[in-house]
Amino acid sequence: MSLTLCSAARAQTQAAPAPITAEQDHLQMMQQLGVRVLRPGPSGDEKAVNAANYDEAKANPYPVWPDPLKLEDGREVTSAAQWWKQRRPQLVEAFEREVYGRVSKAAPKVAWRVVASETERVGSIPVTATQVTGHVDNSAYPSIAVDISMMLIRPVAAPRPMPVLIMFARSDFPVPDQPSPAELGRINAAAKVVLTARDPSLGAVFRDLPAYEPIPAMRPVPPQLNADGDPPSVQQLLADGWAVALLDLASIQADNGAGLRQGVIGLVNRGGPRKPDDWGALRAWAWGAGRAYDYLAADPGLDAGNIGVEGVSRYGKAALVTMAFDPRFAMVLVGSSGEGGAKPHRRNFGEAVESLTSAGEYHWMAGNFLKYGASDAAFGARTADDLPVDAPELIALCAPRLTFISYGQPSKGDARWLDQRGGYMATVAAGKVFRLLGAKDLGVGDDYRNANPPPINTGLLDGRLAWRQHDGGHTDAPNMKYFIAWADRWMGRTPATP
């Protein structure tokens, strides 16, 4: 037997990875790092003994943050060339090694195929909705299969090529077509025959209830509006002539530690544990978004130069990470991202580094990130202040591309846990990188330590770096119309007629 055939035979006989809990995997990573004890994270319950801090007087124990425009040897970055050739690579390396992990060099190729397509109406907008699946090559380890699920929705009448927003969400058909009354009648007649054949007593039921239909006709569903009264975000984008791609991140990598031996991370590790600088779920999701970009950019009906990404909460973290690491993306809408996203690690307000090093959230990050929650380890104790980078540097990696940071109102459900002010401070601190690269920032100066967000519903939307805190809850939907108008202006496009 040839060497190639032997390799293929071994691959086919590999056993599936044994199930493991998040707690077991978390402990295994602690042992790899030499971490004996992790500090417990704060509680989101404000009445708990270990409740998170919400006192601004205690919120900044580490007021001096890393400078995005200072090289590791202490020299100032004074030119765009220095940024691209020296400082940006330093920041990418630090984030990959210590925070989010490195994409595996063995990351497989993805082959996309169309599964189904149909014409629908979203509101009054005729659209084509196409379900596509990206099969991740698992020939090296067939025991783990990964098939990325995405729904591409494009308005039929919009001018081509269309800008695209990849939204991290379930990849369902938006408004699935239904059978006509005549077709539904034939389906029900056939269903009665089949059911009666399986259970003859049902024949009497159907004779006594001649109007009964096993499958009732669907009633028209009235348009569902956002909480602020606007049409749903997808409908707003389609009405403006954008295409929308709904990308199901769960089809790429599970959102839990037990799933790290599965999904694309488990596939490249052949069911084994991660190394300390291996990618976590946030980076895996961002990798998947990049593979979605590959598919969309090859479509001549779509504008490859204007593909963006959007997400809320943990998916807001993923959207920001995607934009930061993949320079092909032209724009991002980051919704209520919190710790690991736009919230600074050095802020003691709500969610904390210790939240992300716990067994419930560590899977988002590189294993090395656990070191910064350690109170007892072979290397001593570390805190957030030991991190070489922070949220301003992550936002700065998006420069000079269109970056919109969005939050909601705590009293409406966008919890203080997310640290809205901290997200604003980080956005302010990132601004000087945008300016260095010739892009307008928020226009409020560089004093991030004393920066306070503008009043709710007051947007800072004049630059390529934008901020708006809306009066809704844990969503970016109330900011979608502002994002669309802002992005259209910077793209120089005339909005389509709804």
Side-chain angles (χ1 to χ4, degrees):
M1 185 180 291
S2 71
L3 181 61
T4 301
L5 290 176
C6 287
S7 299
R10 282 197 300 271
Q12 293 298 326
T13 57
Q14 286 170 334
I20 189 169
T21 67
E23 290 73 17
Q24 290 170 329
D25 185 80
H26 185 247
L27 178 60
Q28 194 273 345
M29 181 56 70
M30 289 175 61
Q31 292 169 342
Q32 279 195 66
L33 295 167
V35 173
R36 291 181 284 269
V37 181
L38 290 167
R39 291 184 299 277
S43 172
D45 180 357
E46 297 188 25
K47 297 180 180 178
V49 174
N50 63 331
N53 174 62
Y54 295 114
D55 181 353
E56 276 293 336
K58 303 175 183 177
N60 297 293
Y62 313 117
V64 179
W65 297 352
D67 189 335
L69 289 182
K70 185 171 288 187
L71 295 170
E72 290 177 354
D73 62 10
R75 289 181 295 143
E76 296 287 337
V77 176
T78 58
S79 69
Q82 272 186 299
W83 167 260
W84 294 115
K85 293 179 181 179
Q86 295 178 267
R87 185 55 175 154
R88 194 179 195 280
Q90 287 180 350
L91 294 176
V92 169
E93 165 61 21
F95 274 116
E96 289 191 324
R97 185 185 65 247
E98 302 296 326
V99 184
Y100 299 110
R102 306 181 194 278
V103 173
S104 171
K105 293 180 180 178
K109 293 184 178 180
V110 176
W112 290 92
R113 67 181 180 88
V114 173
V115 176
S117 185
E118 65 180 32
T119 301
E120 303 179 4
R121 280 185 178 270
V122 176
S124 61
I125 307 162
V127 303
T128 55
T130 305
Q131 177 77 57
V132 294
T133 296
H135 177 68
V136 181
D137 181 7
N138 66 337
S139 57
Y141 193 74
S143 297
I144 294 178
V146 180
D147 292 288
I148 304 173
S149 181
M150 181 168 67
M151 176 65 65
L152 175 59
I153 312 164
R154 61 181 106 196
V156 172
R160 269 60 169 172
M162 291 176 276
V164 188
L165 190 64
I166 299 174
M167 304 181 75
F168 294 156
R170 288 175 56 88
S171 56
D172 299 330
F173 280 96
V175 189
D177 278 345
Q178 300 298 314
S180 68
E183 291 167 336
L184 185 60
R186 293 201 302 274
I187 292 171
N188 275 309
K192 290 179 181 180
V193 171
V194 171
L195 292 170
T196 301
R198 290 187 176 182
D199 183 352
S201 67
L202 292 176
V205 175
F206 294 142
R207 286 192 298 273
D208 292 343
L209 303 171
Y212 170 73
E213 301 291 358
I215 305 172
M218 287 189 65
R219 297 179 182 275
V221 178
Q224 300 296 306
L225 301 179
N226 289 337
D228 59 356
D230 288 332
S233 296
V234 169
Q235 185 173 331
Q236 291 184 56
L237 287 157
L238 297 170
D240 194 65
W242 293 55
V244 175
L246 305 177
L247 182 63
D248 186 353
L249 298 188
S251 67
I252 301 164
Q253 185 64 44
D255 187 17
N256 55 67
L260 289 172
R261 309 291 175 95
Q262 298 285 338
V264 70
I265 295 175
L267 175 59
V268 299
N269 288 334
R270 302 193 177 199
R274 295 186 298 165
K275 299 186 297 295
D277 65 345
D278 278 354
W279 47 347
L282 291 177
R283 197 77 199 278
W285 292 338
W287 171 85
R291 306 294 68 74
Y293 180 100
D294 296 339
Y295 176 83
L296 299 169
D299 188 324
L302 305 176
D303 185 352
N306 284 305
I307 297 176
V309 63
E310 175 272 348
V312 175
S313 196
R314 65 199 61 196
Y315 291 170
K317 306 181 205 293
L320 183 52
V321 170
T322 299
M323 183 74 167
F325 283 99
D326 193 334
R328 300 176 300 169
F329 284 94
M331 67 203 81
V332 66
L333 175 56
V334 181
S336 301
S337 57
E339 184 78 21
K343 178 193 181 298
H345 298 300
R346 285 166 170 78
R347 282 267 292 178
N348 174 29
F349 196 97
E351 196 173 12
V353 162
E354 291 79 8
S355 305
L356 298 188
T357 61
S358 72
E361 297 183 3
Y362 79 104
H363 62 278
W364 293 335
M365 319 299 285
N368 273 331
F369 191 79
L370 270 64
K371 296 183 297 187
Y372 301 95
S375 60
D376 181 17
F379 48 79
R382 291 188 187 174
T383 69
D385 200 37
D386 294 305
L387 278 161
V389 286
D390 212 318
E393 285 73 44
L394 184 66
I395 298 171
L397 289 179
C398 303
R401 293 164 293 149
L402 300 178
T403 304
F404 190 126
I405 307 298
S406 166
Y407 276 93
Q409 185 171 200
S411 64
K412 295 291 184 65
D414 201 47
R416 292 196 293 170
W417 177 258
L418 299 165
D419 190 11
Q420 291 80 7
R421 185 189 176 194
Y424 179 73
M425 293 166 69
T427 307
V428 170
K432 59 184 181 180
V433 178
F434 281 77
R435 298 198 308 273
L436 178 73
L437 301 180
K440 190 177 187 310
D441 65 345
L442 299 184
V444 296
D446 295 325
D447 185 9
Y448 66 86
R449 297 186 201 182
N450 297 303
N452 281 296
I456 288 175
N457 290 334
T458 302
L460 300 176
L461 308 176
D462 292 335
R464 288 180 171 270
L465 180 61
W467 165 275
R468 191 175 188 274
Q469 184 179 3
H470 59 76
D471 61 2
H474 193 49
T475 173
D476 62 11
N479 273 342
M480 183 56 72
K481 61 187 175 186
Y482 299 97
F483 169 81
I484 292 172
W486 170 78
D488 279 347
R489 175 164 54 86
W490 284 106
M491 286 188 285
R493 68 185 294 270
T494 302
T497 301

